[in-house]
Amino acid sequence: MADLEDNVTIPEFSCLLQMDPYLKKYEKDFKRRYELLQKQLVQLEEAEGGFDQFTRSYRTFGVQRLPDNCLVFKEWAPAAEALFLTGDFNDWNKFANPYTKKEFGKWELILPAKYDKSPAVTHKTKLKVVVHTKEGERLYRISPWAKYVTKDDKSVIYDWVHWDPPQPYIQIHPRPKKPLSLRTYEAHVGIASPDATIASYTNFTKNVLPRIKDLGYNCIQLMAIMEHAYYASFGYQITSYFAASSRYGTPDELKQLIDVAHSMGIIVLLDVVHSHASKNTEDGLNRFDGSDSCFFHSPPRGEHKLWDSRLFNYSSWEVLRFLLSNLRWWMEEYRFDGFRFDGVTSMLYHHHGIGATFSGDYSEYFGLQVDEDSLVYLMLANHILHTLYPDCITVAEDVSGMPALCRAVEEGGLGFDYRLAMAIPDKWIQILKELKDEDWSMGNIVYTLTNRRYGEKCIAYAESHDQALVGDKTLAFWLMDKEMYTNMSSIVPMTPVVDRGIQLHKMIRLITHGLGGEGYLNFMGNEFGHPEWLDFPRVGNNQSYHYARRQYNLLDMDHLRYSQLYAFDRDMNRTEDKYGWLAAPPAFVSAKHEEDKVIVFDRANVLFIFNFHPSKSFQSYRVAVEVPGKYKIKLDSDERPYGGHGRLDHNTEFFSEAQPFNGRPNSMQVYIPCRTAIVLANEEIDYCY
């Protein structure tokens, strides 16, 4: 292999080294990864006519209806002795329709059209693959390529339902352009209603999309869409990879949701789980052909001990076909705009991150602990997606900090557009849990918010679904606890606890938004301080839906303070939309004053000032500015409509002086009340970005 690596040229590797010369030491690793990718692409070209055709395998596997209404069924079951198709169409006769064995472990069955020229299997009827194993077992399976699976209320197991509607929904709205500033609303369709039930795609389209649009988010990250048998898994134990979850409605209703989002200028990302799969056999991929491998590595490599799930064999040709076609399916059939890849850390390392503490030492990201099969799979997926869909966005959920994760494949990177800044929410919770307000370290906050790899985009967030789950607490809960149930009325004066909670909730979000990354994310409901955690129906809570819902109805009650937090979140996003700080280079921090509890930074020619002091306001506080001129307040967390105290006069004009200060050539004096954040913009600059 060493000789091969010496002949490999990574086209733009010099760009990567310019950004990070320390990676030079690992050039051989980068070359080996890139060589493996190139070999895959050459093999795809030779064996399948290229990746375009290969990734459209959903058009040949599973069930396909030909123009003459003849049906072709195709599966990959290398360990099977025989395959049969049974279902409503043949009165569940287990042996009437055998598949024919083909090469490379594939099986095929052709069902001619009926006498009246209609298909032999009709829309919405049930099917099963009957697998006979070499050991003499007879197994009933759902096709891995099934497009729709449903479950009766009384049943535990999902059924494969043939989905072939006479008039399928046709999406009419073009995909919006890739946003310069990514403001993401992380959402779960099933909990997107105040009702104690599973909410629908249609409810989301009618009632939630308008709120997301109003709030100024331009991207939705949809969770728990790929079918999962266990609702409480939050969509992270996938059973049917090509089926949109039927618990919220039909595939056509999901297509309509995405179509309407596109009409509003909102892109939609799918939370894709290619890091592991459910262990279910009856309605999952596990032991599909009776063997302990098939789509997965044999145990122990093919089992994730912590998640109790199966791990894909990314070196298998047919597994690559399945997973890459899966990405293509969601892009083509449903018109998603990209993906948030779940569990990337688990994929990248043989140890799956279990018991690993990543110190940032580069030796942790190279060498034998790296699973190069899955690393190259991710490179291949990103290369294919970005080649076919230049505006596609991919986000990596990686806690390890793998270098070049978010650099182009041509540079030797993995090709992701963004990574989630997972250290930020942990930091906020640690601060709220362990420190008194007067002990907050401004330097430590700034360090956490700015500590990211240069040239690799991050999505910053103060909290996501992880912090909303039962067992953890949202920021609103850490701040206000039980007073959220008793003291959130705006008719009576705020208690000290609610006052502190409301002011800090806004400030934490704004400083994360302004300083923490090149994109921003919020989990549904957290923008208005949703008063309860999230807990799905399970045995431990008597299968209750009480906590598996989002109480958007609280926003319609004018006398509650939740609407004040909502209004701030909306105006924060709209201010970013106008000035574009997320799309700008990282901020210049001019002040992190420990005693005053003040942080000042500028980004995109916008000045951010935070006074975290619990009691001290500053009358004429000098702050540094880069560009001279007249500044005015554009966002003020202390405004009364946001639950603030209205201490700032928005007619005030602030004029800079040519007095160098804190590393900037100009400065000015401002009044900053305690527990207040303000955003100032220069009135003399054209902010078109």
Side-chain angles (χ1 to χ4, degrees), residues 465-528:
H465 70 271
D466 287 324
Q467 288 73 37
L469 286 168
V470 68
D472 208 332
K473 293 203 288 196
T474 61
L475 293 185
F477 237 114
W478 281 112
L479 288 161
M480 295 178 277
D481 210 69
K482 60 181 184 295
E483 293 208 19
M484 295 176 76
Y485 294 108
T486 53
N487 296 328
M488 287 297 275
S489 169
S490 55
I491 298 165
V492 295
M494 281 188 279
T495 63
V497 168
V498 168
D499 188 2
R500 171 182 178 266
I502 283 197
Q503 310 323 326
L504 289 178
H505 193 272
K506 293 176 290 188
M507 293 179 74
I508 287 169
R509 283 176 145 60
L510 180 59
I511 198 168
T512 303
H513 207 303
L515 197 56
E518 290 69 38
Y520 178 76
L521 177 138
N522 162 67
F523 178 66
M524 62 190 309
N526 286 2
E527 72 277 4
F528 63 84

Coordinates of all heavy atoms in Angstrom, one line a residue, residues 465-528:
H465 N -32.3 18.8 21.0 CA -33.2 17.8 21.5 C -32.5 17.0 22.7 O -33.3 16.6 23.6 CB -33.7 16.8 20.5 CG -32.6 15.8 20.0 ND1 -31.7 16.2 18.9 CD2 -32.2 14.6 20.4 CE1 -30.9 15.2 18.8 NE2 -31.1 14.2 19.7
D466 N -31.2 16.9 22.7 CA -30.5 16.1 23.8 C -30.8 16.7 25.1 O -31.0 16.0 26.1 CB -29.0 16.1 23.5 CG -28.6 15.2 22.4 OD1 -29.3 14.1 22.3 OD2 -27.7 15.5 21.7
Q467 N -30.8 18.1 25.2 CA -31.0 18.7 26.5 C -32.5 18.8 26.9 O -32.8 19.1 28.0 CB -30.4 20.2 26.4 CG -28.9 20.2 26.4 CD -28.3 19.8 25.1 OE1 -28.8 20.1 24.1 NE2 -27.2 19.1 25.2
A468 N -33.4 18.5 25.9 CA -34.8 18.6 26.2 C -35.3 17.3 26.8 O -36.4 17.2 27.3 CB -35.6 19.0 24.9
L469 N -34.6 16.2 26.6 CA -35.0 14.9 27.0 C -35.1 14.7 28.5 O -34.4 15.3 29.3 CB -34.1 13.8 26.4 CG -34.2 13.6 24.9 CD1 -33.1 12.7 24.5 CD2 -35.5 12.9 24.6
V470 N -36.1 13.9 28.9 CA -36.2 13.6 30.3 C -34.9 13.0 30.9 O -34.2 12.3 30.2 CB -37.4 12.6 30.5 CG1 -37.0 11.2 30.0 CG2 -37.7 12.5 32.0
G471 N -34.6 13.4 32.1 CA -33.3 13.0 32.6 C -32.3 14.2 32.5 O -31.3 14.2 33.3
D472 N -32.5 15.1 31.6 CA -31.7 16.3 31.5 C -32.7 17.4 31.7 O -33.9 17.2 31.9 CB -31.1 16.4 30.1 CG -29.8 17.2 30.1 OD1 -29.7 18.1 31.0 OD2 -28.9 16.9 29.3
K473 N -32.2 18.7 31.6 CA -33.2 19.8 31.7 C -32.8 20.8 30.7 O -31.7 21.1 30.3 CB -33.0 20.4 33.1 CG -33.5 19.5 34.2 CD -33.9 20.3 35.5 CE -32.7 20.9 36.2 NZ -33.1 21.3 37.6
T474 N -33.9 21.5 30.1 CA -33.6 22.6 29.2 C -33.0 23.8 29.9 O -33.1 23.8 31.2 CB -35.0 23.0 28.6 OG1 -35.8 23.5 29.6 CG2 -35.6 21.9 27.8
L475 N -32.5 24.7 29.2 CA -32.0 25.9 29.8 C -33.0 26.7 30.6 O -32.8 27.1 31.7 CB -31.4 26.9 28.7 CG -30.1 26.3 28.0 CD1 -29.6 27.4 27.1 CD2 -29.0 25.9 29.0
A476 N -34.2 26.7 30.0 CA -35.3 27.4 30.8 C -35.6 26.7 32.1 O -35.8 27.4 33.1 CB -36.6 27.4 29.9
F477 N -35.5 25.4 32.1 CA -35.7 24.7 33.4 C -34.6 24.9 34.3 O -34.8 25.0 35.6 CB -35.9 23.2 33.1 CG -37.2 22.7 33.6 CD1 -38.2 22.2 32.7 CD2 -37.4 22.6 34.9 CE1 -39.4 21.7 33.2 CE2 -38.6 22.1 35.4 CZ -39.6 21.7 34.6
W478 N -33.3 24.9 33.8 CA -32.2 25.1 34.7 C -32.3 26.5 35.3 O -32.0 26.7 36.5 CB -30.9 25.1 34.0 CG -30.4 23.6 33.7 CD1 -30.3 23.0 32.5 CD2 -29.9 22.7 34.7 NE1 -29.8 21.7 32.7 CE2 -29.6 21.5 34.0 CE3 -29.8 22.8 36.1 CZ2 -29.1 20.4 34.7 CZ3 -29.3 21.6 36.8 CH2 -29.0 20.5 36.1
L479 N -32.8 27.5 34.6 CA -32.9 28.8 35.0 C -34.1 29.1 36.0 O -33.9 29.8 36.9 CB -33.0 29.8 33.8 CG -31.7 29.9 33.0 CD1 -32.0 30.5 31.6 CD2 -30.7 30.9 33.7
M480 N -35.2 28.5 35.6 CA -36.5 28.9 36.4 C -37.1 27.8 37.1 O -38.0 28.1 37.9 CB -37.4 29.6 35.4 CG -36.9 30.9 34.8 SD -38.0 31.7 33.6 CE -37.6 30.8 32.1
D481 N -36.8 26.6 36.8 CA -37.3 25.4 37.4 C -38.9 25.5 37.6 O -39.6 25.9 36.7 CB -36.6 25.2 38.8 CG -36.6 23.7 39.1 OD1 -35.9 23.0 38.4 OD2 -37.3 23.3 40.1
K482 N -39.4 25.2 38.8 CA -40.8 25.1 39.0 C -41.6 26.4 38.9 O -42.8 26.4 38.7 CB -41.1 24.4 40.4 CG -40.6 25.2 41.6 CD -40.9 24.5 42.9 CE -40.4 25.2 44.1 NZ -39.0 25.4 44.2
E483 N -40.8 27.5 38.9 CA -41.5 28.8 38.8 C -42.1 29.0 37.4 O -42.9 29.9 37.1 CB -40.6 30.0 39.2 CG -40.2 30.0 40.6 CD -39.9 31.4 41.2 OE1 -40.3 32.4 40.5 OE2 -39.3 31.5 42.2
M484 N -41.6 28.1 36.4 CA -42.2 28.2 35.1 C -43.7 27.8 35.1 O -44.5 28.1 34.2 CB -41.5 27.2 34.2 CG -40.0 27.7 33.9 SD -39.2 26.5 32.9 CE -39.8 26.9 31.4
Y485 N -44.1 27.0 36.1 CA -45.5 26.6 36.2 C -46.3 27.7 37.0 O -47.6 27.7 36.8 CB -45.6 25.3 37.0 CG -45.0 24.1 36.2 CD1 -43.8 23.6 36.7 CD2 -45.6 23.6 35.1 CE1 -43.2 22.5 36.0 CE2 -45.0 22.6 34.4 CZ -43.8 22.0 34.9 OH -43.2 21.0 34.2
T486 N -45.7 28.5 37.8 CA -46.5 29.4 38.7 C -46.3 30.8 38.4 O -47.2 31.6 38.7 CB -46.1 29.1 40.2 OG1 -44.7 29.2 40.3 CG2 -46.5 27.7 40.6
N487 N -45.2 31.3 37.9 CA -44.9 32.7 37.9 C -44.5 33.3 36.5 O -43.8 34.2 36.4 CB -43.7 33.0 38.8 CG -44.1 32.7 40.3 OD1 -45.2 32.8 40.7 ND2 -43.1 32.2 41.0
M488 N -45.1 32.7 35.5 CA -44.9 33.2 34.1 C -45.9 34.1 33.6 O -46.0 34.5 32.4 CB -44.7 32.0 33.1 CG -43.4 31.2 33.3 SD -41.9 32.2 33.0 CE -41.8 32.0 31.2
S489 N -46.8 34.6 34.5 CA -47.8 35.6 34.0 C -47.2 36.9 33.9 O -46.4 37.4 34.7 CB -48.9 35.6 35.0 OG -49.8 36.7 34.8
S490 N -47.5 37.6 32.8 CA -47.0 39.0 32.6 C -47.9 40.0 33.2 O -47.6 41.2 33.1 CB -46.8 39.2 31.1 OG -48.1 39.0 30.4
I491 N -48.9 39.6 33.8 CA -49.9 40.5 34.5 C -49.3 41.0 35.8 O -49.6 42.1 36.3 CB -51.3 39.9 34.6 CG1 -51.9 39.6 33.3 CG2 -52.2 40.8 35.4 CD1 -53.0 38.6 33.3
V492 N -48.5 40.1 36.4 CA -47.9 40.4 37.7 C -46.4 40.7 37.6 O -45.8 40.2 36.6 CB -48.2 39.3 38.8 CG1 -49.7 39.1 39.0 CG2 -47.6 38.0 38.3
P493 N -45.8 41.4 38.5 CA -44.4 41.6 38.4 C -43.6 40.3 38.4 O -44.0 39.3 39.1 CB -44.1 42.5 39.6 CG -45.4 43.1 40.0 CD -46.4 42.1 39.7
M494 N -42.5 40.3 37.8 CA -41.6 39.1 37.7 C -41.0 38.9 39.1 O -40.6 39.8 39.8 CB -40.5 39.3 36.7 CG -40.9 39.1 35.3 SD -39.5 39.1 34.1 CE -39.3 40.8 33.9
T495 N -40.9 37.6 39.4 CA -40.1 37.2 40.6 C -38.6 37.3 40.2 O -38.3 37.3 39.1 CB -40.4 35.8 41.1 OG1 -40.0 34.9 40.0 CG2 -41.9 35.6 41.3
P496 N -37.7 37.4 41.2 CA -36.3 37.4 40.9 C -35.8 36.2 40.1 O -35.0 36.4 39.2 CB -35.6 37.4 42.3 CG -36.6 38.0 43.2 CD -38.0 37.6 42.7
V497 N -36.4 35.1 40.3 CA -36.0 33.8 39.6 C -36.4 33.9 38.1 O -35.6 33.7 37.2 CB -36.6 32.6 40.3 CG1 -36.5 31.4 39.4 CG2 -36.0 32.3 41.6
V498 N -37.7 34.4 37.9 CA -38.2 34.5 36.5 C -37.4 35.6 35.8 O -37.1 35.5 34.6 CB -39.7 34.6 36.5 CG1 -40.2 35.0 35.1 CG2 -40.4 33.4 37.0
D499 N -37.2 36.7 36.5 CA -36.5 37.8 35.9 C -35.1 37.4 35.4 O -34.7 37.6 34.2 CB -36.4 39.0 36.9 CG -35.8 40.3 36.3 OD1 -35.6 40.3 35.0 OD2 -35.6 41.2 37.0
R500 N -34.4 36.7 36.3 CA -33.0 36.2 35.9 C -33.1 35.3 34.8 O -32.4 35.3 33.8 CB -32.4 35.6 37.1 CG -31.1 34.8 36.8 CD -30.5 34.1 38.1 NE -29.3 33.4 37.8 CZ -29.3 32.1 37.5 NH1 -30.5 31.4 37.5 NH2 -28.2 31.5 37.3
G501 N -34.1 34.3 34.9 CA -34.2 33.3 33.9 C -34.5 33.8 32.5 O -33.9 33.4 31.5
I502 N -35.4 34.8 32.4 CA -35.8 35.3 31.1 C -34.7 36.1 30.5 O -34.4 36.0 29.3 CB -37.1 36.2 31.3 CG1 -38.3 35.2 31.4 CG2 -37.3 37.2 30.1 CD1 -39.6 35.8 31.2
Q503 N -34.0 36.9 31.3 CA -32.9 37.7 30.7 C -31.7 36.8 30.3 O -31.2 37.0 29.2 CB -32.4 38.8 31.8 CG -33.4 39.6 32.5 CD -34.6 40.1 31.6 OE1 -34.5 40.3 30.4 NE2 -35.8 40.1 32.2
L504 N -31.4 35.9 31.1 CA -30.2 35.0 30.7 C -30.6 34.1 29.5 O -29.7 33.8 28.7 CB -29.7 34.2 31.9 CG -29.0 35.0 33.0 CD1 -28.6 34.1 34.1 CD2 -27.8 35.7 32.4
H505 N -31.8 33.6 29.5 CA -32.3 32.8 28.4 C -32.0 33.5 27.0 O -31.5 32.9 26.1 CB -33.8 32.5 28.5 CG -34.3 31.4 27.7 ND1 -34.7 31.6 26.4 CD2 -34.4 30.0 27.9 CE1 -35.1 30.4 25.9 NE2 -34.9 29.5 26.7
K506 N -32.3 34.7 27.0 CA -32.1 35.5 25.7 C -30.6 35.8 25.5 O -30.2 35.6 24.3 CB -32.9 36.9 25.8 CG -34.4 36.8 25.9 CD -35.1 38.1 26.1 CE -34.8 38.6 27.5 NZ -35.6 39.8 27.8
M507 N -29.9 36.1 26.5 CA -28.5 36.5 26.3 C -27.7 35.2 25.9 O -26.8 35.3 25.0 CB -27.9 37.0 27.7 CG -28.5 38.4 28.0 SD -27.9 39.0 29.6 CE -26.2 39.5 29.1
I508 N -28.0 34.1 26.5 CA -27.3 32.9 26.2 C -27.5 32.5 24.7 O -26.6 32.2 24.0 CB -27.7 31.7 27.1 CG1 -27.1 31.9 28.5 CG2 -27.3 30.3 26.5 CD1 -27.7 31.0 29.5
R509 N -28.7 32.7 24.2 CA -29.0 32.4 22.8 C -28.3 33.4 21.9 O -27.7 33.0 20.9 CB -30.5 32.5 22.6 CG -31.2 31.3 23.1 CD -32.7 31.3 23.0 NE -33.2 29.9 22.7 CZ -33.0 28.9 23.5 NH1 -32.3 29.0 24.6 NH2 -33.4 27.7 23.1
L510 N -28.4 34.6 22.2 CA -27.8 35.6 21.3 C -26.3 35.5 21.2 O -25.7 35.6 20.1 CB -28.2 37.1 21.8 CG -27.6 38.2 20.9 CD1 -28.1 38.1 19.4 CD2 -28.0 39.6 21.4
I511 N -25.6 35.3 22.4 CA -24.1 35.2 22.3 C -23.7 33.9 21.6 O -22.7 33.9 20.8 CB -23.5 35.3 23.7 CG1 -22.0 35.6 23.5 CG2 -23.7 34.0 24.5 CD1 -21.3 36.0 24.8
T512 N -24.5 32.8 21.7 CA -24.3 31.6 21.0 C -24.5 31.8 19.5 O -23.7 31.4 18.6 CB -25.2 30.5 21.5 OG1 -25.0 30.3 22.9 CG2 -24.9 29.2 20.7
H513 N -25.5 32.5 19.1 CA -25.9 32.9 17.7 C -24.8 33.7 17.1 O -24.3 33.5 16.0 CB -27.2 33.6 17.7 CG -28.0 33.5 16.5 ND1 -27.5 33.9 15.3 CD2 -29.3 33.2 16.3 CE1 -28.5 33.7 14.4 NE2 -29.6 33.3 15.0
G514 N -24.3 34.7 17.8 CA -23.4 35.7 17.3 C -21.9 35.2 17.2 O -21.2 35.6 16.3
L515 N -21.5 34.4 18.2 CA -20.1 34.1 18.4 C -19.8 32.6 18.1 O -18.6 32.3 17.8 CB -19.7 34.4 19.8 CG -18.2 34.6 20.2 CD1 -17.5 35.6 19.4 CD2 -18.1 34.9 21.7
G516 N -20.8 31.7 18.2 CA -20.5 30.3 18.3 C -20.3 29.5 17.0 O -19.8 28.4 17.0
G517 N -20.6 30.1 15.8 CA -20.4 29.3 14.6 C -20.8 30.0 13.3 O -21.0 31.2 13.3
E518 N -20.9 29.2 12.3 CA -21.3 29.7 11.0 C -22.7 29.3 10.6 O -23.2 29.5 9.5 CB -20.3 29.2 9.9 CG -18.9 29.8 10.0 CD -18.2 29.3 11.3 OE1 -18.3 28.1 11.7 OE2 -17.5 30.2 11.8
G519 N -23.4 28.7 11.6 CA -24.8 28.3 11.5 C -25.3 28.3 12.9 O -24.6 28.2 13.9
Y520 N -26.7 28.2 13.0 CA -27.3 28.2 14.3 C -28.4 27.2 14.3 O -29.1 27.0 13.3 CB -27.9 29.6 14.7 CG -28.6 29.7 16.0 CD1 -27.9 29.7 17.2 CD2 -30.0 29.7 16.1 CE1 -28.5 29.8 18.4 CE2 -30.6 29.8 17.3 CZ -29.9 29.8 18.5 OH -30.5 29.9 19.7
L521 N -28.7 26.6 15.5 CA -29.7 25.6 15.6 C -30.5 25.7 16.9 O -29.9 26.1 17.9 CB -29.1 24.2 15.6 CG -30.1 23.0 15.7 CD1 -29.7 21.9 14.7 CD2 -30.0 22.4 17.1
N522 N -31.8 25.5 16.8 CA -32.7 25.5 18.0 C -33.6 24.3 17.9 O -34.1 24.0 16.8 CB -33.5 26.8 17.9 CG -34.7 26.8 18.8 OD1 -34.6 26.7 20.1 ND2 -35.9 26.8 18.3
F523 N -33.9 23.7 19.0 CA -34.9 22.6 19.0 C -36.3 23.2 19.3 O -36.4 24.0 20.2 CB -34.5 21.6 20.1 CG -35.5 20.5 20.2 CD1 -35.7 19.6 19.2 CD2 -36.2 20.3 21.3 CE1 -36.6 18.5 19.2 CE2 -37.2 19.3 21.5 CZ -37.4 18.4 20.4
M524 N -37.2 22.7 18.6 CA -38.6 23.2 18.6 C -39.1 23.4 20.0 O -39.0 22.5 20.9 CB -39.5 22.2 17.9 CG -39.5 20.8 18.5 SD -40.4 19.6 17.5 CE -41.9 20.3 17.1
G525 N -39.7 24.6 20.2 CA -40.3 24.9 21.5 C -39.3 25.5 22.5 O -39.7 26.3 23.3
N526 N -38.0 25.2 22.4 CA -37.0 25.8 23.3 C -36.8 27.3 23.0 O -36.4 28.0 23.9 CB -35.6 25.1 23.1 CG -35.6 23.7 23.7 OD1 -36.6 23.2 24.2 ND2 -34.5 23.0 23.7
E527 N -37.2 27.7 21.8 CA -37.1 29.2 21.6 C -38.0 30.0 22.5 O -37.7 31.1 22.9 CB -37.4 29.5 20.1 CG -38.9 29.4 19.7 CD -39.3 28.0 19.4 OE1 -38.5 27.0 19.5 OE2 -40.5 27.8 19.0
F528 N -39.1 29.4 23.0 CA -39.9 30.1 23.9 C -39.9 29.6 25.3 O -40.7 29.9 26.2 CB -41.4 30.2 23.4 CG -42.1 28.9 23.2 CD1 -42.8 28.4 24.3 CD2 -42.3 28.3 22.0 CE1 -43.5 27.2 24.2 CE2 -43.0 27.1 21.8 CZ -43.6 26.5 23.0

